[in-house]
């Protein structure tokens, strides 16, 4: 029409190109915004999960008004991983597999031979077992009472208590039990006596678990735990003393070493008694006093 200017073809192309660039820019911005929202949501979710993992804690009193917090992030000294108990259980299970599974010949040398014993057998025999039922019963009690000790004393504490009480039970067996039995080949001669099993060490953990619970204060919870554990341990010990006084007992044709059970428990009591007598950093009498000039 006359009097109006019509855009040229070049101007139309430039307008369309500008429009397309603007649409592409807007699309990229929208996609970037959605991605940012998604990443921020993922980051917030991860942070919330991390906060929950850190915040999940088991708080226990130590009897002095202080509290120890167990966190799953591993920043505290008493994280409830039960690594020491798990290591002891695995050591017993692996030793049984080597002895009774693949018939490893060296496994028999780890038994405590009363007739000709070696020093390492005092400890290695506590990881050997005569049968599956023997292993199963000991591992169940080791798992229960080992965790109780590890909750209070840590992985190092439960492992050392196991080794010390087990070694004490083995030494007591060497002293109080005969070296040979009158059941040699075809009824002639004497056969050496062997001792195996974690029972002595487990009975030591019985005593240690009760003692450490009693020493952590006199709250209602601690008294209840000590009472429940204590009556079980006392009943077990009285049963062992009774059976030993009546000549012992047999399980699957093998004599039960009641001496090791009783000695292991007594070793646990003596161990805790000895540790409580050692000077601590909190004890003011443990540090020498200096006179003022």
């Amino acid at each position: 029409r006359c009097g109006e200017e019509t855009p040229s073809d070049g101007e139309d192309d430039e307008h369309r190109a500008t429009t397309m660039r603007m649409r592409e820019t807007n699309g990229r911005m929208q996609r970037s915004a959605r991605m940012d929202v998604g990443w921020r949501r993922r980051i917030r979710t991860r942070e919330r999960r991390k906060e929950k993992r850190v915040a999940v804690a088991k708080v226990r009193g130590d009897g002095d008004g202080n509290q120890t917090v167990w966190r799953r992030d591993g920043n505290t000294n008493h994280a409830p991983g039960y690594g020491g108990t798990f290591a002891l259980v695995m050591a017993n299970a692996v030793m049984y597999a080597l002895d009774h599974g693949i018939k490893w010949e060296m496994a028999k040398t780890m038994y405590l031979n009363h007739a000709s014993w070696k020093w390492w057998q005092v400890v290695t025999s506590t990881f050997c077992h005569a049968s599956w039922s023997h292993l199963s019963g000991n591992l169940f009690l080791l798992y229960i009472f080992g965790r109780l000790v590890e909750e209070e004393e840590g992985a190092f504490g439960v492992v050392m208590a196991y080794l010390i009480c087990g070694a004490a039970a083995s030494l007591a067996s060497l002293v109080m039990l005969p070296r040979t039995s009158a059941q040699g080949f075809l009824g002639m001669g004497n056969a050496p006596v062997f001792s195996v099993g974690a029972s002595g060490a487990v009975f030591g953990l019985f005593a240690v678990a009760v003692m450490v619970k009693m020493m952590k204060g006199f709250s209602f919870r601690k008294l209840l735990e000590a009472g429940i554990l204590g009556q079980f341990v006392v009943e077990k010990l009285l049963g062992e003393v009774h059976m030993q006084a009546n000549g012992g007992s047999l399980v699957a044709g093998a004599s039960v070493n009641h001496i090791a059970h009783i000695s292991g428990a007594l070793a646990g009591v003596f161990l805790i008694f000895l540790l409580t007598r050692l000077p601590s950093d909190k004890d003011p009498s443990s540090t020498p006093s200096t006179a003022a000039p």
Side-chain angles (χ1 to χ4, degrees), residues 17 36 38 55 67 69 94 113 115 123 192 205 208 216 220 224 239 245 272:
D36 290 341
Q67 290 180 336
V69 180
V94 169
N113 187 343
V123 175
L205 294 180
V208 172
K216 293 298 181 179
F220 176 76
L224 182 61
I272 297 301

Side-chain angles (χ1 to χ4, degrees), residues 81-91 143 147 150 158:
Y82 305 111
T85 303
F86 180 76
L88 292 173
V89 170
M90 286 300 299
Y143 180 76
R147 286 164 60 99
E150 190 166 357
V158 68

